[in-house]
Amino acid sequence: MAESKLELKSPPNPNSLIVSAPPSSPPESPPVTTGGGFVPAVWFRQRPKIRVTTEFDSDSSVFFHRISCKVLDSLAKLKFSFQNNGKGELSDPQLALTSKYLSLHYDIEEKNALVNASFDVAPGLQFKAVHEVKSQQGELAMVADLAGPAYKFELSSAVPAIGKRRKEEEEEQAKRILSVNGILKGQIMNGVCTAKYKDEALDLRYCFKDEQMTFIPSISLPSNAMSFTFKRQLRSFRQVEVIYWYNLDTNYWSTVYKHNIGKDFKFKAGYDSEVRLGWASLWVGEESGKAKTAPMKMKVQFMLQVPQDDITSSSLMFRAKKRWDI
């Protein structure tokens, strides 16, 4: 066996200068190819997320579907919706393109489009326009916030249709040539008073609210219809509310009991004297929230309706809403 030799090397001189070659750079990756041509990678953009939502109502046995995605670098949303019954028959297809200032809704079956536009002319002053293509009718409006959102004034004018119209349509159009709407809010004592004028009717409403109770009397003019709402939140159970509503003109009344169980569960029960109906419902998923915030992105409601005059005809219904992100 050959013996290994041990070589001794002297330590480097601290006064010497050693120059080393820079490391070689890795080779550049070839550009992305499609077929026989070369396409820069910057041309490829991420596909927008597609949201699919399906709702079902057992009362009507109809499925409602909505498919949407953001387009134009998230500046607008494209939405397609339709319905189908238990036999699989499709109906009411709708196509919509919405953005901050402009929206277009197209009814495929009716071959009709509705165009909405709105933008700020100046701080506190907004311009709105609506136009229906098939009837050639629309409306122009100016909305002004006077000294803040508590004081709002709206002046709108109907755009007359082009072509021949029936006499009834002409009379209705004449009434809508110019309309004035407004809202006024102010603090009175320990509550908020709201005056709202729209379609030649004035609604006056006063709301008193503290930590446990809410009391809301209201009156409509010139019909003089009066009603009041009373809401009580139990101090010991913050998730429990009792609401009572009464109409002084018709003597109709209704009451609702609410019990929130955490964030995703709610139980409600009530009675309506006008339709003589008692009911109870259970919500799985936040009632006023969207499906994306619910567990498994799904909301479900079960409702039991019990007619006072015929208890044997009670019915159990349910509604479900599910969302998928693709």
Side-chain angles (χ1 to χ4, degrees):
M1 177 183 297
E3 296 182 358
S4 60
K5 296 181 180 181
L6 179 63
E7 297 182 357
L8 298 178
K9 296 184 179 180
S10 60
N13 187 355
N15 298 324
S16 62
L17 178 63
I18 301 177
V19 180
S20 59
S24 60
S25 59
E28 296 182 358
S29 58
V32 182
T33 61
T34 58
F38 293 89
V39 180
V42 71
W43 287 9
F44 290 90
R45 295 185 178 182
Q46 186 179 5
R47 176 183 61 83
K49 293 182 179 180
I50 300 177
R51 300 172 181 174
V52 181
T53 305
T54 298
E55 299 181 44
F56 176 74
D57 189 349
S58 64
D59 187 22
S60 59
S61 299
V62 172
F63 289 88
F64 178 79
H65 308 277
R66 182 170 63 250
I67 304 172
S68 64
C69 68
K70 294 183 178 181
V71 295
L72 303 176
D73 291 336
S74 299
L75 295 178
K77 178 183 288 187
L78 182 64
K79 181 174 65 175
F80 175 68
S81 61
F82 63 94
Q83 300 179 8
N84 73 281
N85 54 20
K87 299 179 181 179
E89 299 173 345
L90 304 182
S91 62
D92 197 22
Q94 305 276 340
L95 186 63
L97 180 65
T98 59
S99 64
K100 183 178 180 181
Y101 302 105
L102 181 67
S103 63
L104 172 65
H105 297 266
Y106 182 71
D107 191 324
I108 299 177
E109 289 183 347
E110 298 293 333
K111 296 181 180 180
N112 188 20
L114 182 66
V115 183
N116 291 269
S118 65
F119 57 89
D120 294 332
V121 179
L125 184 62
Q126 185 183 43
F127 172 80
K128 297 192 300 182
V130 181
H131 179 69
E132 186 179 355
V133 176
K134 196 170 185 178
S135 64
Q136 294 295 311
Q137 294 183 358
E139 186 177 73
L140 301 176
M142 295 292 293
V143 182
D145 292 337
L146 307 176
Y151 307 93
K152 182 175 292 186
F153 174 79
E154 178 176 341
L155 179 65
S156 61
S157 176
V159 178
I162 301 174
K164 297 181 179 180
R165 293 176 299 164
R166 293 180 300 179
K167 185 177 180 180
E168 295 81 1
E169 294 178 352
E170 293 178 354
E171 293 177 353
E172 181 65 23
Q173 191 74 20
K175 296 179 181 179
R176 297 177 59 247
I177 289 296
L178 186 64
S179 62
V180 179
N181 302 325
I183 185 171
L184 176 65
K185 292 183 180 181
Q187 189 82 18
I188 298 180
M189 293 186 292
N190 294 327
V192 177
C193 184
T194 304
K196 185 176 182 181
Y197 182 79
K198 185 176 182 180
D199 298 333
E200 300 181 355
L202 178 63
D203 294 332
L204 300 176
R205 180 175 179 266
Y206 179 78
C207 178
F208 171 82
K209 183 177 181 179
D210 59 14
E211 294 182 357
Q212 292 85 28
M213 184 189 71
T214 302
F215 179 69
I216 308 175
S218 62
I219 182 172
S220 298
L221 302 174
S223 63
N224 295 327
M226 299 180 61
S227 64
F228 70 85
T229 302
F230 176 80
K231 181 190 296 186
R232 174 69 176 177
Q233 185 173 8
L234 303 183
R235 177 179 294 183
S236 57
F237 302 95
R238 291 292 181 180
Q239 295 84 9
V240 178
E241 289 183 343
V242 178
I243 303 175
Y244 179 78
W245 176 85
Y246 180 73
N247 190 310
L248 281 71
D249 296 337
T250 61
N251 291 328
Y252 290 139
W253 60 275
S254 64
T255 183
V256 178
Y257 169 84
K258 298 181 181 181
H259 190 172
N260 295 323
I261 307 173
K263 180 181 178 182
D264 299 320
F265 297 91
K266 177 184 287 187
F267 173 77
K268 298 172 65 176
Y271 175 81
D272 192 334
S273 66
E274 183 175 2
V275 294
R276 300 175 63 85
L277 180 72
W279 56 273
S281 67
L282 175 65
W283 280 93
V284 180
E286 191 175 358
E287 180 182 3
S288 58
K290 297 183 178 180
K292 68 177 182 179
T293 60
M296 299 184 296
K297 297 183 179 181
M298 183 173 181
K299 294 174 58 177
V300 181
Q301 180 195 15
F302 299 93
M303 175 175 283
L304 174 65
Q305 293 185 348
V306 182
Q308 182 178 348
D309 300 328
D310 187 7
I311 299 180
T312 58
S313 62
S314 302
S315 59
L316 178 63
M317 301 175 294
F318 75 92
R319 300 172 183 172
K321 182 178 182 181
K322 172 65 177 176
R323 167 176 162 170
W324 295 269
D325 293 331
I326 303 175

